[in-house]
Each structure stands twice: as C-alpha cells, then as structure tokens.
Amino acid sequence: MKTGSIFERASTPSAGIVDIGDSKQLFVDDLLVDEASRISRYQYRPTKYADNPVMVADYPWEQGKYGGKNEGVEIVGQTVLYDDEEKIFKMWYVSWALDKGRRPWCYATSSNGYNWDRPELGLIEFEGSTRNNLLGIHGEPSYYNCFKDHRDPDPQRRYKAQGEMHGPGGHNPPGGMVNAYSPDGIHWTYNNKAVVLYPTNVADANSVLGWDHLREKYVGYFRPGHPLAHEIDNIGQHRHIRTVGYAESDDFEDWTDTRMMLAPDTRDRVDHQYQYFTAGIFGEFYLGFLMVHKTHDQVWDVFLMSSRDGFHWNWVDRDMPFLYRGEVGSYDAGYLMPSGPILHNGQIWIYYTGFSGAHSANPTRLGERCVMTINLATTPEDRWAGLLAGPNQGRIITRPIIFKGSKLLIDVDASVPQSVPKDVMNFDECEVRASLTDQSGGRIEGFSFDRSTQILESGKHEMKWEGADLSQLEGKPVRIHLEIRSACLYSIQFV
C-alpha cells in the first residue's frame, strides 16, 4: 500500500522585504501576511446566471449523437473572450459529433454576454445550405482553443487556435497538437502538422493560456503522456493518472518540452485526477481553474488556484470548490469545464460547459439525458478570495513592504455596514482601521490606529491618517497593521 511522502519538502521562503510598488495585491496567497489572529481565509463563490444555459443545441448541425447518448454543445480550453476593439463577446464552440465522429466547430457573438447570436457565415454547407455559423466540420484534426493575439505583427495570425490530431492508432507520433491561424477569427488557415507531439509532451485534453505578457511567452497547459506522466500500476498497459503540464513558445510553433506542473499528491483522495486547467492573468497574479476529477464518482468540480509566476501554484481553498456542480438532474450535475476568466465592466465572466451526465462509459448514472450546454457564472472584480474577520476583532500584520505612491486603497466587504460611527456597535457591524510601523515593528509618528480612517462599509476606500503624509514613506520598508471586525479584506493598493 502506498503511503505519504517519506521525506518532508523544505518550504521556499519569501523575501525579507517585499517590493510591491503600486501594484494591486490580492489576498489569494499568503506572501504579504506575516501574522494573523482571528482571521480565516474566505473564498468567494461565483453566482451562476439565473437563466443558464446561455447556449444549447438549437440547430440541426449542433444535434449530433454519434457514438452514444451524449449530445449538446460545449467549450473546451480557452475559447471565449471579450473583444475590446469590437466591443463584443466572441465564442468558439463545438457540438457533439455527427456521422463518423466529425464535430462541428462553430462561432457565436454577444453584445451583452447573456444573449448569443449565431452569425450566418456562409462558409460551410450543411444539408444543402451555408446559412449557418459553421467554421468547419472536423474529424482529424479538431480545434477548440482560440484566442486573439494583439502582439503578432502578422495580421493573418491575429487569431490563433489549437486542437488535436491523432496519429496512427491514436495518441502516437506524428500526432499531437496542431495550430490554425486567422485574420478575423472566422476564415482559418490550418497547418495540419503537430507542433507538440504525442506521447510524452502531450497526451490529450490540452488548453492554452495564450500570450503571457509577464513571461513574454506563449503558454500551453498540456496533459503529459508516457513516460512523463504518473503511470497506473499493474494493468498491463501504459495508462496514466491525469495531470497538468506546462510548456512555452516564442512563436506558437516551436514549444519547449512539457514539464509536470500539477499532479495529485497524498492530500488528494486516492481516486482524484487533474482533468483540465485554464487560467487568466490579473495584474501580477495568475488565477487558474483546476478541474479535479473524482474517478469513483465520474464527476468533477472546479478549484481555484493562484500563482505569481504562472508555474508554481497555490490552492486558494483545497477543501471547497470555486465552481461547483449542481444537483442530480441539473444542467451541470456531472462536471464543469470553464474557459479562462474574462474581466469586463467590473465583473469576472466565467463561461463553462455544463454536463448533466457522468464522465463515464455509463453517463446515464446521473440521469437518462446526458446533455452538454454552455453556461455563465460571474463574480465582482477582484472578489476571488480574501481575509475574513468575524464578530471578534481580527488582526493582520504584513511582512515589511516597499511601496510606490501617496495613497493606500483598501477593498473590503462588510458583513453589515455601519451608516455612521458610534460608540457602541453591533457585533456584526463592519469596522476596519490601520496603522503603519517600520520594518522592525517600531512606531511611526502619525500613523497609529487612533488617527486612521474608520472604514464602516463595503467598497474600495482610501485609508488616511489625520495630519500625516503617506508619500513621506514611499520607498521605505513599512509594515501594515490592520484591525478588522465583521468584514472581508480582498485587496490593498498604493497609488
């Protein structure tokens, strides 16, 4: 019987003084937190759109049922974006297979993110008509990941897609991940040559981040194959635990060898596998969606991960899904597959495939209908996770930081807001104060708790100290001390 690790890994300590400049600091990791008392981690849970699904299989080319009982439309990998230039949402999706396993690749747009249009593209004939939104009907290769690349100087490569092409007998060379390019996201040129080869560097189920402007690389999250992946023992063939790999490219054509990035460990339930991974970049933070497959139940939920370098990840809450399945009989009872998060109009938009059945040879174990639909969940901007204080006052002390700016903004969510300050407050009413000390904890004149702003309600507030000039401390190591009651702290930022 396999047990946990024999040797304990050493931790990787953070720098003694953290230079945060004027960047927004989200509390999705503990880099800034040196001490905390009566404080809990709080993970926000997205709100599923009340009128989900936003996309169902309404048209004949979307209603294939090849090879079993599954049906519907889905997004796989990074496939939805908001186009700031054209002021519309765009989606590239696939429907379940038609004859011979061919899957329609389709295009849709939306002006508001809720109601989606299928433009008549006139490209592909289906049942005698080109009045449809088909980009192609693909057997081999098939495409799913798609993103807009603003930095590529070649306008014919403005949009990039990546999919999968099998080799002889399945996941074998010369098969792997293949690219396609387009000037407008509609008219595509296919290269039909694998740029990431089976079996080691990719097995299947890949997703791409796209262009990572922090690392200045294209980034792909490829599921590793043999011999990189963890092999399942004693079954007489090469089969592997699903894991998440990482690769980079300068040009989207030549990729580094895949490295193992995320794999189940001894804290996971013994049947857990890591099914898919998608991510987005917000400021200097990477926020990722890890789909944890429960092999015994043949379902999965989505867990939130955070990173500051795009490769080393933290669980925001390992015990609670960020995006969770619905009850048996609902549209997402079996699993959810989100595209990367989108920031638009003060909200985070998360589009995801919801499947009502099980990921199994017997998908009807959760009900007779096994339908894929495309759905939406949203959360306010920056509301990923925070530091929560209850009725008993909590305290937070940061590591020594160096900042740039003359103002400190603090984003809090009040349990119950106070309308005006008062001498005797109710136990569930919000109150937040702050003080600043030097890096050793020594008092800095003028920046004590009794001179600070008293934050009483939700929102982004400037923390001030009566009679003090914060700009005088710019570039000097300081610690922030916070007293919090009945509120959740989501971010801080010097400006």
Side-chain angles (χ1 to χ4, degrees), residues 91-120:
M91 177 191 297
W92 293 262
Y93 67 97
V94 293
S95 62
W96 198 249
L98 301 170
D99 61 292
K100 300 180 181 178
R102 299 179 307 138
R103 301 196 70 178
W105 190 32
C106 307
Y107 176 69
T109 62
S110 173
S111 60
N112 62 12
Y114 303 105
N115 307 110
W116 287 83
D117 301 315
R118 296 168 170 86
E120 293 183 358

Side-chain angles (χ1 to χ4, degrees), residues 74 299-300 325 332-337 353-355 357-359 372:
E74 64 174 333
V299 298
W300 66 76
R325 292 176 295 112
D332 55 2
Y335 60 72
L336 311 92
M337 292 194 299
T353 294
F355 185 48
H359 187 262
M372 295 176 177

